[in-house]
Amino acid sequence: MARMGDAVELEAGGRSVRLSSPDKVFFPERGFTKLDVARYYQAVAPGILRALRDRPTTLERYPDGVTGESFFQKRAPKNMPDWIPTAHITFPSGRSADEMCPTEQAAVLWAAQFGTLTFHPWPVRRADVDRPDELRIDLDPQPGTDYDDAVRAAHELRAVLDEFGGLRGWPKTSGGRGLHVFVPIEPRWTFTQVRRAAIAVGREMERRMPDQVTIKWWKEERGERIFVDYNQTARDRTIASAYSVRPRPYAPVSAPLRWEEVGEAHPRDFDIATMPARFAELGDVHADMDDHAFSLDALLDLARRDEHEHGLGDLPYPPEYPKMPGEPKRVQPSRARREKEA
């Protein structure tokens, strides 16, 4: 690292990236600066690049740190270097944009220069932006539940994945109270089909753990259970990447885990100060993800049985989506009851 007046130059993968205002405080509670964030990404660069490589990526930017204003940058900035490629993606609204697709470690540092804390990659590669190559399961604790409840759900999820197609998931902390499990899949299916597989997973988990897990979209119906957020597999819905910094006061990161660590490790174990030492010792514990590509056939067969034998059809999409074919009425249950009684 060489200093240049008020800026510094950071090296990554053979490129130099200029970092301005390195002493700007990004996490006041712990005193972490913009330079601390960039150095963190420098330390875990091979791991986060593995998670982002060739994926259209939305940047969650906090130019003045976690106490300042933030925004999601979907369109590639005009000042982006020409060595960072893009992919043309289409949103549910029909609009489209060119998003950055990191292919080098330096791309992560370049984004950190502009206050990016969290990277939100699509579950596709730029070679085929309409067919996901990851099934992503988001285990989201609801009020009255916590990380330990998510852990119990994750272990049941592991069993479900293995039973339906011999699938293998790679778990990670969300950086908050939840857990994410990513399954690398063959890029054969559309977003709609992958979402259907996620719904089938959630329904099977709900059958096995009815008091602990729910797939109910409406918050008023979820209760004190872990919500399997199937809509995180819908087009343009993304999940924070492995190694991403999360915008919380203690600067946590989304930490890749080995299955034997699920239940032993805790989200507070992983932040921008502790993860570099873990990475230096263990490397990227999800490094072998790209060596696998599983089939969704068994889960889609399960979805068909749910539909034809149990009458379980589609579930609501997020509110910003256009009405989708086969989707049930998108109205809050309590409101629907009031309208029916009126």
Side-chain angles (χ1 to χ4, degrees), residues 25-26 28 62 64-69:
V25 176
F26 268 29
Y62 288 76
D64 295 313
V66 293
T67 58
E69 293 185 1

Side-chain angles (χ1 to χ4, degrees), residues 192-237:
T192 301
Q193 290 170 312
V194 174
R195 178 179 175 274
R196 192 166 166 236
I199 290 173
V201 168
R203 283 176 167 153
E204 181 64 20
M205 291 183 65
E206 191 177 53
R207 281 190 286 266
R208 298 182 182 200
M209 305 178 71
D211 296 327
Q212 292 83 40
V213 170
T214 182
I215 199 170
K216 299 291 187 184
W217 174 247
W218 302 104
K219 290 183 179 181
E220 65 183 30
E221 295 186 311
R222 294 177 190 171
E224 296 183 359
R225 293 180 286 183
I226 299 297
F227 173 49
V228 181
D229 190 352
Y230 61 90
N231 268 332
Q232 290 297 83
T233 55
R235 179 185 288 272
D236 192 34
R237 295 294 283 250

Side-chain angles (χ1 to χ4, degrees), residues 46-101:
I48 191 166
L49 180 61
R50 187 268 311 156
L52 300 178
R53 190 189 305 274
D54 283 323
R55 298 189 183 281
T57 300
T58 298
L59 308 178
E60 187 176 356
R61 293 176 54 188
Y62 288 76
D64 295 313
V66 293
T67 58
E69 293 185 1
S70 66
F71 60 96
F72 289 87
Q73 175 125 28
K74 295 188 176 185
R75 298 179 184 275
K78 292 182 179 179
N79 63 342
M80 192 174 72
D82 58 10
W83 49 266
I84 301 177
T86 62
H88 194 72
I89 49 90
T90 302
F91 303 116
S93 64
R95 292 179 296 174
S96 61
D98 293 322
E99 283 203 349
M100 71 176 290
C101 296

Side-chain angles (χ1 to χ4, degrees), residues 78-261:
K78 292 182 179 179
N79 63 342
M80 192 174 72
D82 58 10
W83 49 266
I84 301 177
T86 62
H88 194 72
I89 49 90
T90 302
F91 303 116
S93 64
R95 292 179 296 174
S96 61
D98 293 322
E99 283 203 349
M100 71 176 290
C101 296
T103 57
E104 302 183 35
Q105 297 175 14
V108 177
L109 293 186
W110 177 84
Q113 149 65 12
F114 293 97
T116 300
L117 293 184
T118 306
F119 294 82
H120 296 269
W122 282 47
V124 300
R125 310 279 183 170
R126 62 191 173 112
D128 187 349
V129 296
D130 293 316
R131 296 187 182 274
D133 69 346
E134 287 182 346
L135 169 65
R136 298 173 174 180
I137 307 297
D138 180 6
L139 301 176
D140 185 10
Q142 300 303 291
T145 65
D146 56 21
Y147 180 73
D148 291 337
D149 297 301
V151 164
R152 285 186 282 273
H155 285 298
E156 191 60 49
L157 169 60
R158 187 184 187 189
V160 169
L161 292 173
D162 182 64
E163 184 174 332
F164 291 92
L167 307 184
R168 175 184 168 195
W170 278 254
K172 68 183 184 71
T173 66
S174 67
R177 299 188 306 136
L179 275 164
H180 302 149
V181 178
F182 286 10
V183 181
I185 60 174
E186 300 167 4
R188 293 167 42 199
W189 297 277
T190 64
F191 277 93
T192 301
Q193 290 170 312
V194 174
R195 178 179 175 274
R196 192 166 166 236
I199 290 173
V201 168
R203 283 176 167 153
E204 181 64 20
M205 291 183 65
E206 191 177 53
R207 281 190 286 266
R208 298 182 182 200
M209 305 178 71
D211 296 327
Q212 292 83 40
V213 170
T214 182
I215 199 170
K216 299 291 187 184
W217 174 247
W218 302 104
K219 290 183 179 181
E220 65 183 30
E221 295 186 311
R222 294 177 190 171
E224 296 183 359
R225 293 180 286 183
I226 299 297
F227 173 49
V228 181
D229 190 352
Y230 61 90
N231 268 332
Q232 290 297 83
T233 55
R235 179 185 288 272
D236 192 34
R237 295 294 283 250
T238 56
I239 294 178
S241 77
Y243 300 104
S244 272
V245 180
R246 307 312 312 273
R248 294 181 174 86
Y250 60 97
V253 302
S254 180
L257 301 176
R258 298 167 295 193
W259 274 109
E260 58 267 27
E261 295 179 298

